[in-house]
Amino acid sequence: KQEVTQIPAALSVPEGENLVLNCSFTDSAIYNLQWFRQDPGKGLTSLLLIQSSQREQTSGRLNASLDKSSGRSTLYIAASQPGDSATYLCAVRQTGANNLFFGTGTRLTVIP
Amino acid sequence: GAGVSQSPSNKVTEKGKDVELRCDPISGHTALYWYRQSLGQGLEFLIYFQGNSAPDKSGLPSDRFSAERTGGSVSTLTIQRTQQEDSAVYLCAAGSYEQYFGPGTRLTVT
């Protein structure tokens, strides 16, 4: 069974810093990988999706990379802002499957 | 995202009662998923629909849980004889490639 791990569990940074969130998965036979953001008491907002054949995707200040062979993905956030404070979840979709396997998330706090 | 709505947003029920949770993928996606998010377990897959059929029910935790989908649109997740361990946020998602989530229903069983 696919297992997804996110490190660190929590992270606090001052405003303006660049930061990296890490995601690792045990089974490299993936179809795609999605990064989500979850604000307290809210649902999930999709940030970036990387196909298994891609190495990275960018959206604004966000850049997600994928190294399928080593079972790793990173989410890079540039010039962090207080509004970036949220829990970030990584989710993997296996080849031949439909559902997502989620990590436990990284709770990010950006201090003004 | 992508017009997925869920109702109710919050539900408090007594142990032993039945509850129904609703998901409406307004954008008309054929693929629909239910997940559960609880403090001790993180986000877990429950069931997947393609159209009105459910080819993957492997995540349903017990036979007290069931779900249906009608007209290829609205889905209802039913929990019978609720237990305290059923307390969680139930999330619905739609999308065949990228999954878009609704705001969730927070269920509290007292």
Side-chain angles (χ1 to χ4, degrees):
Chain A
K1 180 185 173 184
Q2 177 74 268
E3 292 187 8
V4 183
T5 304
Q6 291 186 247
I7 295 173
L11 179 64
S12 290
V13 299
E15 181 177 2
E17 274 203 5
N18 303 324
L19 60 102
V20 175
L21 307 181
N22 297 291
C23 171
S24 61
F25 45 94
T26 54
D27 188 338
S28 62
I30 67 169
Y31 180 66
N32 62 33
L33 182 147
Q34 264 183 276
W35 281 93
F36 294 89
R37 166 189 176 134
Q38 186 173 33
D39 293 281
K42 304 290 186 182
L44 277 63
T45 300
S46 181
L47 298 173
L48 289 165
L49 181 148
I50 311 179
Q51 297 180 57
S52 62
S53 59
Q54 295 178 318
R55 298 284 292 184
E56 64 179 310
Q57 279 282 1
T58 298
S59 176
R61 294 182 294 108
L62 305 180
N63 177 278
S65 69
L66 174 64
D67 185 342
K68 197 171 67 167
S69 61
S70 67
R72 294 181 183 180
S73 176
T74 61
L75 179 66
Y76 174 82
I77 302 177
S80 59
Q81 303 172 356
D84 295 331
S85 298
T87 295
Y88 290 81
L89 293 157
C90 164
V92 168
R93 181 174 168 181
Q94 301 260 148
T95 301
N98 296 287
N99 60 290
L100 296 173
F101 288 92
F102 280 86
T104 49
T106 295
R107 180 179 294 179
L108 173 65
T109 303
V110 180
I111 304 165
Chain B
V4 180
S5 62
Q6 292 186 245
S7 60
S9 55
N10 282 283
K11 176 72 176 179
V12 180
T13 190
E14 292 180 353
K15 177 182 173 181
K17 301 282 191 183
D18 298 351
V19 295
E20 286 189 353
L21 313 179
R22 176 186 168 103
C23 172
D24 188 350
I26 300 172
S27 59
H29 288 286
T30 57
L32 183 148
Y33 312 80
W34 284 96
Y35 293 85
R36 178 170 73 172
Q37 186 174 33
S38 52
L39 279 178
Q41 304 296 325
L43 249 156
E44 305 171 288
F45 165 74
L46 298 177
I47 187 170
Y48 156 65
F49 284 92
Q50 180 60 41
N52 291 337
S53 63
D56 189 349
K57 308 178 183 180
S58 62
L60 294 178
S62 76
D63 59 7
R64 295 186 296 105
F65 288 71
S66 63
E68 66 174 13
R69 190 178 185 196
T70 55
S73 182
V74 172
S75 176
T76 302
L77 177 69
T78 301
I79 308 173
Q80 296 178 309
R81 304 181 303 281
T82 52
Q83 304 294 314
Q84 288 185 330
E85 61 263 28
D86 299 334
S87 296
V89 176
Y90 290 82
L91 292 161
C92 174
S96 300
Y97 180 62
E98 185 169 359
Q99 293 190 22
Y100 301 95
F101 281 74
T105 294
R106 180 174 297 277
L107 175 66
T108 303
V109 182
T110 62

